[in-house]
Amino acid sequence: MDRSHLAWPFFDERHRSLANHLDDWAAANLHHGDGDVDAQCRALVRQLGEAGLLRHAVAGIAHGGAADAIDTRSICLLRETLAWHHGLADFAFAMQGLGSGAISLHGTPAQQERYLPRVARGEAIAAFALSEPNAGSDVAAMACAARDDGDAYVVDGEKTWISNGGIADVYVLFARTGEAPGARGVSAFIVDAGTPGFEIAERIEVVAPHPLARLRFSGCRIPKTQLLGAPGQGFKIAMQTLDIFRTSVAAAALGFARRALHEGLQRARSREMFGQRLADFQLAQAKLAQMATTVDGAALLTYRAAWERDQGRNVTRAAAMAKMAATEGAQQVIDAAVQLFGGEGVRRGQVVESLYREIRALRIYEGATEVQQLIIARELLKEGSV
C-alpha cells in the first residue's frame, strides 16, 4: 500500500507508526473468506479487538480506549488501511465506533463502564439505530416513539437499514419522546439485544454483503437508567456521533480507491495487447493519471478535515466536502479500474469487482452525496464562511 501521504504535515509520528503497524498486521491477518457473513463479521470484531485496534474507536483510557478522546486521524488511517485490505474488516471496525460513539460522548460513568470496555476488546458488537422506513436523511420525520412510563420508557416503532442488525449485542436507539416538535423531541437510549419487545423483523441483503436488518419495537420497556444524555437531546447526540465518523467514511472510500488504483496499475503493466503493454497506450495513461489525481485530491480533503477536527475546529463543511469528494471520486476510480481489466473486471472474485460492489453504499450512508451538497452550500451561504 502506498504510504507516501504519511509524510504530510497532517500527521504526527504516532500516526505514521500506527499506519505502518496496521498495514503489516492486515496483510498478515486479514483473509477473504466465503460463507456466513454474520460469522465472518463476528470473527473480524474479535480479531480487531484482540489486536488492540478497536481501542481507537472508543473514548476513555479508563474504559479501554486508546486515549481520552477519539483521534479522528487515527480513525481515518485505520479505516483507509482496512478498506484497502478487506472491506468487511473496515465495516466491522467502523460500526464498533459508530455504534458506541454516543456512549463515549454522553454515557454516564456507569454506562461507559458497562459497555465500552467490551466494545474495545471485541467482546460486544455495537449498532447505531437511527434510520427508519420514512426517516433516513430527514431525521425530523422519525416515527419510532418512546413513551414515559414511570421508571421506564415504552418504545413502539421500527428502524431499518441498521448495520450490525441481527448480530449486535447493544444498540444505541433514537426515538421520539416529544419534548418539542421535530428533531428537538428525540431522545437516545441504550438497548441490549434480547430485551423483551425488541425483535429483528427482517434481515436485509445488499450488493456488498454485511449484517443489516430492520428492527421492530413493540411495547419494549427500556429502564430510564438506559437513557443517554437528557430527554430531547437525541438529535444532538446523533449528529455529534456522526460528526466524528463522517470523515472516516471518506477515509474508507479513499482506501477502496487506492486499492483500485494499485490493481489498475498492475493490470496496465502486465496486460499484453496489440504487441505492447496496456500501459503503453495513451488512453490508458490518461485514465491512470485521472485516477491518481482523484485519489490525491480525496486524500487531501479527508486528512484536512480529520486534522481540523483534532484541533477542535468546526468541520461541518470540511467533513461534508471530504465525504462527497472521496466517495464520488472512489466510484469513478474503481469504475476506471474495472474498465482497465475489461471482461476480467466483472468476474466474481476479482478485487476490482469486489471494490465495485463495496463502494456504492458509501455514497448513501451517513448522509447521501446530495445531503452533503446541501450542507456545503448552507455553510458557504453563512456570512463570513468564505
Side-chain angles (χ1 to χ4, degrees):
M1 183 175 176
D2 179 14
R3 311 305 292 175
S4 58
H5 62 298
L6 292 176
W8 292 351
F10 293 125
F11 305 108
D12 301 329
E13 190 54 42
R14 62 192 170 93
H15 297 115
R16 299 181 182 99
S17 177
L18 171 65
N20 289 322
H21 163 72
L22 176 61
D23 200 27
D24 293 340
W25 179 87
N29 291 279
L30 295 181
H31 308 288
H32 291 268
D34 296 318
D36 185 76
V37 173
D38 289 358
Q40 289 183 59
C41 201
R42 289 189 182 99
L44 286 165
V45 170
R46 286 195 298 272
Q47 275 186 283
L48 292 165
E50 290 168 359
L53 299 174
L54 294 178
R55 296 171 58 244
H56 295 279
V58 169
I61 294 173
H63 304 301
D68 284 331
I70 292 174
D71 183 80
T72 314
R73 286 167 292 175
S74 295
I75 291 288
C76 287
L77 287 169
L78 279 152
R79 290 204 65 183
E80 180 192 351
T81 306
L82 289 171
W84 197 96
H85 287 276
H86 196 297
L88 193 58
D90 164 64
F91 165 84
F93 173 84
M95 285 313 305
Q96 288 296 91
L98 183 63
S100 66
I103 304 174
S104 286
L105 290 172
H106 291 278
T108 65
Q111 290 169 342
Q112 291 173 340
E113 180 57 33
R114 180 179 178 186
Y115 294 104
L116 295 182
R118 291 191 295 139
V119 170
R121 293 193 298 264
E123 296 170 0
I125 296 177
F128 184 81
L130 180 65
S131 296
E132 296 185 8
N134 295 310
S137 298
D138 183 10
V139 177
M142 185 179 298
C144 183
R147 172 173 54 85
D148 192 331
D149 187 36
D151 63 350
Y153 283 90
V154 179
V155 180
D156 291 283
E158 290 192 353
K159 296 290 177 179
T160 194
W161 303 112
I162 306 306
S163 293
N164 277 347
I167 70 168
D169 301 289
V170 56
Y171 296 76
V172 170
L173 169 70
F174 298 88
R176 181 168 301 287
T177 44
E179 288 77 15
R184 293 177 296 165
V186 173
S187 297
F189 305 88
I190 307 171
V191 184
D192 294 316
T195 300
F198 168 34
E199 64 175 325
I200 305 303
E202 177 190 12
R203 294 301 301 273
I204 302 171
E205 294 187 14
V206 289
V207 64
H210 67 265
L212 197 69
R214 177 167 58 90
L215 317 180
R216 179 181 294 132
F217 298 87
S218 303
C220 179
R221 290 185 66 85
I222 303 174
K224 287 187 174 177
T225 55
Q226 296 294 88
L227 178 70
L228 267 172
Q233 285 191 336
F235 179 77
K236 175 183 175 182
I237 291 171
M239 294 305 104
Q240 287 178 349
T241 305
L242 290 170
D243 275 349
I244 296 175
F245 294 98
R246 182 169 288 125
T247 304
S248 79
V249 180
L254 178 60
F256 290 140
R258 283 197 195 280
R259 182 62 183 268
L261 175 58
H262 170 82
E263 297 295 325
L265 283 167
Q266 296 294 99
R267 176 71 170 180
R269 289 166 175 154
S270 62
R271 172 65 166 160
E272 296 286 340
M273 55 192 307
F274 301 109
Q276 57 185 335
R277 300 179 308 158
L278 179 59
D280 295 324
F281 289 91
Q282 287 186 336
L283 282 174
Q285 292 172 9
K287 192 176 293 290
L288 290 167
Q290 184 61 56
M291 292 164 72
T293 302
T294 300
V295 167
D296 270 16
L300 286 162
L301 284 170
T302 298
Y303 287 110
R304 178 190 71 170
W307 176 81
E308 287 188 347
R309 190 183 185 283
D310 288 339
Q311 308 312 304
R313 301 180 184 178
N314 183 307
V315 293
T316 299
R317 186 175 76 176
M321 285 180 167
K323 183 182 185 296
M324 182 179 72
T327 57
E328 293 292 328
Q331 182 83 64
Q332 296 165 17
V333 170
I334 293 167
D335 186 75
V338 170
Q339 202 72 9
L340 288 169
F341 271 75
E344 285 295 312
V346 293
R347 183 194 289 270
R348 178 75 71 169
Q350 282 283 2
V351 171
V352 293
E353 181 271 340
S354 175
L355 292 170
Y356 195 85
R357 288 183 289 107
E358 291 279 5
I359 189 56
R360 190 58 185 87
L362 273 68
R363 294 168 58 202
I364 299 172
Y365 75 64
E366 292 195 38
T369 293
E370 291 76 12
V371 173
Q372 305 311 316
Q373 291 171 331
L374 293 174
I375 291 170
I376 294 163
R378 182 190 67 201
E379 293 297 308
L380 284 172
L381 292 167
K382 287 181 180 178
E383 184 178 357
S385 66
V386 178

